[in-house]
Amino acid sequence: MSVAALQLPANLALSSLSAPRQDFIRSLPKAELHAHLNGCIPLRCLQELYRERAASSTSPLPEDDVIKKGLDLLERGAMLNDINDFFVIFPKTIYALTSNIPAISRATSAVLESFLSPGVTAPEDPPQCAYLELRTTPRRTPTRREYLCAVLDEVEKYAASQAALIVSVDRRMAMEDLDECVDLAIVLKQEGRRVVGLDVCGDPSQGDMATFAPALNRAKASGLALTLHIAEIPEYPTSDVAALLSTRPARLGHATFLDPEAQELVRRDKTVIEICLSSNLLCNSTTSLDAHHIQYYLEHDHPIAISTDDTLVFRNTLAGEYALLLAQPPLGLGLSEAEVARVAAMSMDARFL
Ligand code: 5GP
């Protein structure tokens, strides 16, 4: 099924716009600052990896049936009840197919191309964005260093003005794994590799962020900018909010359920909020665009960065996310072209270059 045929909010918003308004969105210089590598692999690339592994006698697939079902689900457009449904998609389907260095290199190359090459969705389209900060959690494939170097080798084929890497750590990590990942990010940066930041991601119901704060401060002291997933679920602990905000991050991912006090702090520090509208709508973190926390930040003229999050799972594009700003209600927020251009400029200003 083509992406355009899926009745998803961003597709509906984009197709409601006239051709000149779609062109306006596509031609705006914008930065994609919140994109997870394994969540953004083009479906065709993942299907090819599956077919090749299925046909290979030397590296047969574990749980072939489960992977096939996962791929079918991704093709149909994953139906999620909530954010918990989202996290189970990764280990059994996606990671099973990106479990060696050649596969990681191919997947990374395909993700970069999908964002930075022209003509990906239609021959006349410009690249989805002018600049991409891709993020990924280092896996032991076969070592974390080899995994990150394979990703960096692909990222560094593009100019520094076009692409950079953020190293993610996962809330479920044990302390020794967290320290290993943070040390690795610092060392790679010191070796001159294009690592610009550190992210905390993973299941928001797991982990204790007070125990993560020292490692995050260490990364920051070594020159890595921080972007932290925060308050993605209603029951998110206030102690985690306090621990993460104590590191004074440059950007926050989602920040869906911050209370008014935390919102005040974010505004005081001018912390950029990475807004992923489709992700929030499809994970049912928000009931509608009207109820979305983007409204608060727009009202206060606070810096935001519109991003896709996981294009493989949500089947969205950056143009579609911007269409959710420009389209008339109820499909979009009904912003003017000048307002949308200002939002795009905010994303360029928020780069960790
Ligand atoms: P990877 O880091 O393996 O390249 O990208 C996939 C991983 O990113 C997932 O396993 C998950 O840990 C993380 N991730 C992707 N999207 C989200 C999100 O919306 N929220 C959080 N907290 N983590 C996410």
Side-chain angles (χ1 to χ4, degrees):
M1 190 185 300
S2 76
V3 173
L6 294 169
Q7 298 287 297
L8 297 170
N11 298 345
L12 293 173
L14 190 60
S15 53
S16 76
L17 297 175
S18 65
R21 278 159 82 78
Q22 291 192 15
D23 288 346
F24 162 76
I25 283 183
R26 291 202 170 98
S27 62
L28 276 177
K30 44 191 160 339
E32 167 59 80
L33 301 181
H34 189 126
H36 297 266
L37 193 165
N38 281 278
C40 289
I41 301 171
L43 182 64
R44 203 153 29 131
C45 172
L46 207 60
Q47 287 168 331
E48 275 169 22
L49 289 171
Y50 170 75
R51 278 194 294 273
E52 288 169 23
R53 283 285 296 278
S56 154
S57 51
T58 48
S59 56
L61 281 167
E63 300 189 88
D64 188 8
D65 248 24
V66 179
I67 297 173
K68 179 93 188 51
K69 276 195 195 131
L71 279 176
D72 290 346
L73 182 79
L74 287 169
E75 185 168 16
R76 285 198 307 276
M79 302 291 288
L80 308 169
N81 287 321
D82 57 31
I83 200 168
N84 295 318
D85 283 359
F86 168 80
F87 289 103
V88 295
I89 297 173
F90 286 91
K92 294 216 154 154
T93 303
I94 305 172
Y95 293 154
L97 293 169
T98 55
S99 59
N100 56 55
I101 292 293
I104 281 295
S105 301
R106 262 172 70 185
T108 309
S109 166
V111 174
L112 287 157
E113 194 187 330
S114 74
F115 281 106
L116 295 170
S117 293
V120 169
T121 44
E124 65 285 1
D125 284 353
Q128 289 210 68
C129 57
Y131 173 80
L132 167 68
E133 261 163 30
L134 193 59
R135 58 184 73 190
T136 197
T137 320
R139 301 210 311 273
R140 290 200 179 90
T141 313
T143 67
R144 290 193 160 114
R145 186 181 171 94
E146 283 172 90
Y147 176 94
L148 282 185
C149 286
V151 172
L152 281 164
D153 286 347
E154 297 303 321
V155 168
E156 290 165 359
K157 287 180 181 165
Y158 290 80
S161 59
Q162 287 183 291
L165 184 72
I166 294 171
V167 172
S168 297
V169 293
D170 192 302
R171 296 175 61 98
R172 294 159 284 196
M173 278 179 176
M175 279 304 115
E176 70 226 48
D177 295 320
L178 171 68
D179 284 335
E180 186 192 338
C181 291
V182 170
D183 289 346
L184 193 50
I186 293 171
V187 166
L188 287 168
K189 181 180 162 55
Q190 285 166 350
E191 289 173 6
R193 304 300 306 253
R194 208 179 298 151
V195 180
V196 292
L198 193 87
D199 160 51
V200 175
C201 68
D203 187 343
S205 65
Q206 307 290 315
D208 171 6
M209 291 304 97
T211 63
F212 272 46
L216 301 181
N217 284 325
R218 193 154 49 83
K220 191 174 169 183
S222 305
L224 291 168
L226 298 182
T227 170
L228 311 174
H229 284 70
I230 195 168
E232 289 175 86
I233 47 176
E235 59 278 14
Y236 196 84
T238 49
S239 55
D240 274 9
V241 170
L244 293 178
L245 292 187
S246 75
T247 66
R248 309 286 289 264
R251 304 198 312 241
L252 292 173
H254 299 290
T256 320
F257 297 99
L258 284 185
D259 64 25
E261 202 182 323
Q263 283 180 321
E264 281 292 317
L265 278 180
V266 162
R267 280 182 52 212
R268 184 199 67 188
D269 288 353
K270 298 195 169 34
T271 317
V272 176
I273 308 293
E274 299 160 356
I275 298 273
C276 307
L277 293 168
S278 286
S279 166
N280 299 155
L281 288 166
L282 295 171
C283 287
N284 290 314
S285 310
T286 187
T287 47
S288 68
L289 286 176
D290 266 354
H292 195 280
H293 56 293
I294 190 175
Q295 304 274 14
Y296 173 86
Y297 294 105
L298 288 173
E299 268 162 35
H300 290 91
D301 196 28
H302 183 88
I304 57 173
I306 297 291
S307 301
T308 55
D309 206 5
D310 298 280
T311 53
L312 168 63
V313 185
F314 303 124
R315 307 300 299 279
N316 54 343
T317 59
L318 198 53
E321 296 305 301
Y322 276 82
L324 288 166
L325 305 182
L326 189 62
Q328 286 307 307
L331 295 179
L333 290 168
L335 300 193
S336 68
E337 290 192 359
E339 287 167 326
V340 174
R342 178 160 163 66
V343 170
M346 284 174 174
S347 72
M348 295 295 276
D349 290 343
R351 293 168 290 174
F352 291 160
L353 272 175

